[in-house]
Amino acid sequence: MKVQARDAIVEKILEFKKKRNAIILAHNYQRAEVQEIADITGDSLELSRAAAKTDNDVIVFCGVHFMAESAAILSPRKTVLLPEMSAGCPMADMVTVEGPRKTKREFYTDVLGFTFEFADEFTLRDIKKKHPGVPVVAYVNTSAAVKAESDICCTSSNVVKVIESLKEDTVICIPDRNLSAYAAKRTKKKIISWDGFCNVHMRLDADDVKKAKTAHPDALLVVHPECPPEVQDMADHITSTSGMLRYCKESPHQEFIIGTEEGLLHRLRKDSPAKKFHVLSTEMVCPNMKRTRLESVVRVLETMDNVISVADEVRVPAKRALDRMLGIV
Ligand code: 13P
Ligand code: SF4
């Protein structure tokens, strides 16, 4: 986009933002130009907290569907807008309360283009029935309906604290098998894991790490807990997206290989302009996160379309699970 055209859109966004008394929240994976017009950028936990406490009438959520849904659950009196309705998260779709119509094997084949080893359980209700009394810890990357059927939520930055806060010795963690593997190494509790995954982080393997380390021998490797265990095991540090921002800024080290979605590199470079950052693989692009553009933001502010709302019978129990998480960390 030409600079003049971009400036005109940015001006319009600012004008509408004032008119609507809106706040713009953007996830760390958003396009650089979207991060630049946001009032707050952050990881899932920071954005949930911001959505819960804002005084603005309208929240424009530049991210994926489950994130805007969490904002709508936490702030029912606010109008929550998702600039691109088709921005979903395949991992969040991997667990349903009931159904799905397809087997998990069919689902993974259709949505992701490859088959995957799968557990016997088919739905959240099935796994709960199989393990009565075992609490369910739901990663925020889940639908409102799934949160409503869960005991507590977690994000990549607080999963271990959340598990430790529960009195039970065994917990069910949904939907990310890699986040479960990360947590299992950091708690003595038994974790029964769902076998979902992020199709972006799942592309990484030990070969990517070896190549990147050969190309950048002085760099530290920092990865997201959604990466496969073989990648986590080779990392110097594992943390959420905002955890990576803090770690790289505070570290005396000057060079880093980053194992997460490439959008994070914008903030990393902005926060630490003298340091060097390399993405672990050029395939680390989440197409859903990239759907949102400045044009989508100005359009929803103008039309007030794409409102995300959750019916009270789901919203109230889902809020309980989110509030329980926000209360302990
Ligand atoms: P963070 O909470 O670390 O920002 O992660 C969200 C996400 O979707 C990672 O793929
Ligand atoms: Fe979902 Fe993965 Fe995209 Fe995060 S990076 S929003 S987990 S698909």
Side-chain angles (χ1 to χ4, degrees):
M1 195 193 302
K2 294 226 171 75
V3 179
Q4 258 176 336
R6 197 197 50 208
D7 289 352
I9 296 185
V10 171
E11 211 172 293
K12 238 174 149 189
I13 289 174
L14 295 177
E15 193 185 302
F16 274 111
K17 214 174 70 148
K18 207 165 165 193
K19 189 168 159 194
R20 306 289 189 207
N21 187 23
I23 184 169
I24 301 178
L25 307 182
H27 187 262
N28 289 323
Y29 294 161
Q30 289 289 293
R31 290 173 184 276
E33 63 268 28
V34 174
Q35 293 191 35
E36 286 301 310
I37 50 104
D39 297 291
I40 300 175
T41 54
D43 66 5
S44 308
L45 183 62
E46 291 168 335
L47 296 178
S48 296
R49 286 195 191 285
K53 72 166 201 227
T54 182
D55 289 332
N56 294 79
D57 297 319
V58 174
I59 299 172
V60 180
F61 211 116
C62 303
V64 291
H65 192 274
F66 76 80
M67 295 179 173
E69 209 176 44
S70 295
I73 293 166
L74 290 165
S75 296
R77 277 181 289 280
K78 310 272 182 312
T79 303
V80 179
L81 305 175
L82 180 65
E84 287 295 335
M85 273 309 210
S86 60
C89 169
M91 171 156 57
D93 295 338
M94 286 179 187
V95 58
T96 53
V97 175
E98 284 182 311
R101 310 317 138 218
K102 294 176 178 195
T103 64
K104 275 206 216 172
R105 186 185 289 277
E106 283 165 345
F107 173 81
Y108 288 159
T109 310
D110 287 0
V111 174
L112 306 163
F114 55 90
T115 49
F116 212 80
E117 192 190 322
F118 63 105
D120 295 339
E121 291 80 20
F122 198 54
T123 68
L124 178 53
R125 288 213 175 127
D126 289 340
I127 199 169
K128 283 173 74 170
K129 214 184 288 166
K130 194 170 166 190
H131 304 283
V134 177
V136 176
V137 177
Y139 193 23
V140 284
N141 299 39
T142 45
S143 67
V146 165
K147 289 183 176 80
E149 286 275 329
S150 301
D151 294 273
I152 187 165
C153 289
C154 75
T155 72
S156 56
S157 68
N158 63 20
V159 57
V160 177
K161 272 193 195 168
V162 165
I163 292 170
E164 291 292 320
S165 77
L166 299 169
K167 63 179 190 320
E168 292 83 357
D169 290 332
T170 304
V171 299
I172 296 169
C173 285
I174 56 167
D176 186 10
R177 55 193 280 163
N178 295 337
L179 186 68
S180 299
Y182 164 82
K185 286 196 176 150
R186 289 158 179 82
T187 175
K188 287 198 166 58
K189 301 200 181 202
K190 181 178 171 204
I191 295 179
I192 300 163
S193 180
W194 196 256
D195 65 350
F197 52 87
C198 163
N199 57 315
V200 179
H201 290 84
M202 203 62 179
R203 288 179 202 151
L204 293 170
D205 60 20
D207 270 353
D208 293 313
V209 176
K210 281 181 208 147
K211 275 186 210 146
K213 284 193 171 191
T214 306
H216 312 291
D218 297 330
L220 289 184
L221 175 65
V222 187
V223 308
H224 196 274
E226 286 176 15
C227 291
E230 67 181 271
V231 173
Q232 294 189 26
D233 289 347
M234 296 166 94
D236 295 291
H237 193 58
I238 312 168
T239 182
S240 73
T241 56
S242 288
M244 289 185 191
L245 292 171
R246 282 188 291 275
Y247 178 81
C248 295
K249 197 172 174 183
E250 286 161 17
S251 167
H253 221 82
Q254 293 300 307
E255 194 174 0
F256 303 87
I257 300 164
I258 303 297
T260 197
E261 213 273 348
E262 62 87 41
L264 190 70
L265 279 277
H266 174 68
R267 244 308 272 293
L268 282 165
R269 288 179 177 138
K270 199 171 157 182
D271 286 0
S272 309
K275 296 187 180 181
K276 280 194 201 153
F277 298 98
H278 315 279
V279 72
L280 177 49
S281 152
T282 50
E283 288 195 20
M284 295 305 289
V285 180
C286 173
N288 285 289
M289 282 286 182
K290 298 305 192 235
R291 286 187 207 280
T292 306
R293 294 173 178 273
L294 291 180
E295 290 88 333
S296 354
V297 177
V298 78
R299 193 178 55 242
V300 288
L301 275 169
E302 196 168 357
T303 61
M304 296 294 282
D305 282 344
N306 297 5
V307 175
I308 303 294
S309 60
V310 182
D312 271 357
E313 67 263 29
V314 171
R315 194 188 65 75
V316 173
K319 185 169 186 298
R320 209 174 294 138
L322 277 168
D323 281 343
R324 198 170 167 195
M325 166 187 86
L326 294 172
I328 59 150
V329 282

